[in-house]
Amino acid sequence: MRHTIEHVFDTSPERLWEVFFFDEDYARGLYERMRLTVVRRDLQREGEGPNLIVRRKLQLAADRELPGALKRLFQGTSTVTEIGEFNAALRRYSVTIQVPVIGNLVDYGGEYTWDILPSGQLRRVWKGHCDARIPLVGGKLEAYLLGEIEKSMAENFAYTRDWLKAHPAS
């Protein structure tokens, strides 16, 4: 399954990604709002501005109840790993999401790209995918995981938009 999600921000790409990756107060508030616990965070930064490259690995535990069949499939664990590589010059942030237990049967992730609209606003586009090679439940798992991404991105967008308004660049 595939999906595309688009959001528009009143900020520059540099400001958006600087906050997204490096503002600890923002991250703490975002994860609290999304009911996620960061179990482990690894972050590598190279360069600055238009030459910025970021490699990030997050292990996240969600405070959410899984549907019955999926709960059995994941055997009580809800920790996922997100691995991402950001490249400012290519205007791309590629993300792979590894789900517990059945990760070798699920190809899950996507890519953010962005551009500047004629209005000067930043348009961020997510093109995501989920391919679950699991007989009988694969399609349901794909729909559930992409639905979770859509809900998470809506929360992320609302929080980030409000954060940027309340904390203008200095």
Side-chain angles (χ1 to χ4, degrees), residues 11-47:
T11 193
S12 68
E14 295 80 13
R15 173 81 173 130
L16 175 71
W17 295 112
E18 186 70 26
V19 166
F20 183 83
F21 287 119
F22 307 113
D23 189 313
E24 295 296 327
D25 292 332
Y26 162 83
R28 196 171 17 265
L30 176 65
Y31 294 128
E32 182 178 304
R33 177 174 175 156
M34 295 178 68
R35 297 182 0 242
L36 294 170
T37 301
V38 178
V39 176
R40 182 176 177 175
R41 179 177 179 245
D42 296 319
L43 191 67
Q44 298 174 352
R45 177 182 192 150
E46 297 174 23

Side-chain angles (χ1 to χ4, degrees), residues 1-2 70 73-74 99 102-108 129-146:
M1 294 182 93
R2 307 279 181 267
L70 295 179
L73 195 59
F74 289 123
V99 294
I102 57 167
N104 60 333
L105 300 173
V106 179
D107 178 15
Y108 182 33
H129 67 274
C130 185
D131 299 301
R133 299 171 304 280
I134 303 169
L136 304 176
V137 297
K140 288 182 182 179
L141 178 60
E142 292 170 0
Y144 173 78
L145 292 174
L146 289 180

Side-chain angles (χ1 to χ4, degrees), residues 16-168:
L16 175 71
W17 295 112
E18 186 70 26
V19 166
F20 183 83
F21 287 119
F22 307 113
D23 189 313
E24 295 296 327
D25 292 332
Y26 162 83
R28 196 171 17 265
L30 176 65
Y31 294 128
E32 182 178 304
R33 177 174 175 156
M34 295 178 68
R35 297 182 0 242
L36 294 170
T37 301
V38 178
V39 176
R40 182 176 177 175
R41 179 177 179 245
D42 296 319
L43 191 67
Q44 298 174 352
R45 177 182 192 150
E46 297 174 23
E48 295 292 329
N51 298 314
L52 179 64
I53 294 174
V54 178
R55 290 178 188 84
R56 181 172 87 160
K57 184 175 183 179
L58 293 174
Q59 287 182 309
L60 302 164
D63 181 21
R64 300 181 189 143
E65 189 68 24
L66 294 171
L70 295 179
K71 188 186 302 186
R72 288 187 295 278
L73 195 59
F74 289 123
Q75 300 173 354
T77 183
S78 62
T79 302
V80 299
T81 301
E82 176 188 298
I83 301 168
E85 183 167 328
F86 173 89
N87 187 314
L90 298 177
R91 293 184 322 191
R92 182 178 0 196
Y93 179 43
S94 302
V95 177
T96 300
I97 301 167
Q98 299 172 338
V99 294
V101 182
I102 57 167
N104 60 333
L105 300 173
V106 179
D107 178 15
Y108 182 33
E111 185 170 84
Y112 288 102
T113 58
W114 58 92
D115 61 349
I116 303 297
L117 298 172
S119 64
Q121 295 174 301
L122 168 68
R123 175 176 45 199
R124 182 185 72 183
V125 179
W126 165 262
K127 291 190 179 184
H129 67 274
C130 185
D131 299 301
R133 299 171 304 280
I134 303 169
L136 304 176
V137 297
K140 288 182 182 179
L141 178 60
E142 292 170 0
Y144 173 78
L145 292 174
L146 289 180
E148 285 296 302
I149 285 287
E150 288 175 13
K151 285 188 273 187
S152 293
M153 286 196 168
E155 283 288 317
N156 179 304
F157 170 68
Y159 182 82
T160 303
R161 180 196 59 220
D162 294 346
W163 176 271
L164 291 168
K165 283 181 186 174
H167 301 86

